[in-house]
Amino acid sequence: EKSFKAGPSDRRPVDPALWQTGPPVAGTIEPLSITFPESMDSAVTPRSISVTTDSGKRIEGKMSLEDQERRWTFLPASAWIRGGYKLVIQTTIEDLAGNNIGKAFDVDKLEQMKKTSSSTVTLGFEVR
């Protein structure tokens, strides 16, 4: 037997526009970080985000979740080069309530549901 306490429902889709990025400095292997407004699913999140150059070349490195799954970090395999990069995010990424980008897990049938038309979204950032 296990007791638990439930809080209010969470029907807000995941919104990358609310994420805070901490871009690294060129010439270093400082980690890139994303701070989420809420905890994310630890099984899905690490494989749902990748880093590419502006031209689409994938950047190799190691990802981890920290701070109760509220911060994602990416440590590149080689030093950052000055320029533009993109975070490529699968729309299937989930918060702890199972909400995705553009879609809540638990939908009130009386509310209009917004659908995402793409399997990924991107967020740009600059390395200076």
Side-chain angles (χ1 to χ4, degrees):
E1 188 175 308
K2 181 171 181 161
S3 298
F4 63 92
K5 184 176 179 181
S9 63
D10 179 357
R11 291 191 174 105
R12 293 167 303 169
V14 173
D15 185 357
L18 301 176
W19 299 356
Q20 297 176 353
T21 57
V25 176
T28 70
I29 57 166
E30 288 181 2
L32 164 68
S33 67
I34 303 170
T35 303
F36 307 113
E38 63 181 330
S39 296
M40 300 297 284
D41 185 293
S42 63
V44 177
T45 300
R47 65 177 186 259
S48 297
I49 304 172
S50 59
V51 182
T52 70
T53 62
D54 267 344
S55 63
K57 180 182 174 195
R58 188 179 177 108
I59 305 298
E60 298 300 322
K62 293 184 180 184
M63 300 170 222
S64 63
L65 277 176
E66 304 165 348
D67 191 25
Q68 297 179 349
E69 288 73 40
R70 292 179 186 262
R71 186 175 55 245
W72 175 91
T73 59
F74 175 80
L75 190 62
S78 58
W80 293 102
I81 298 171
R82 184 180 308 271
Y85 292 83
K86 293 179 184 174
L87 292 166
V88 180
I89 307 142
Q90 300 290 320
T91 56
T92 54
I93 193 170
E94 293 183 356
D95 63 14
L96 296 181
N99 301 314
N100 302 117
I101 293 176
K103 183 178 122 233
F105 176 77
D106 181 22
V107 179
D108 183 338
K109 291 186 179 205
L110 298 177
E111 293 180 19
Q112 187 77 333
M113 188 170 82
K114 179 183 170 187
K115 295 206 178 210
T116 304
S117 60
S118 175
S119 63
T120 63
V121 295
T122 60
L123 286 178
F125 67 95
E126 285 286 320
V127 172
R128 300 177 190 263

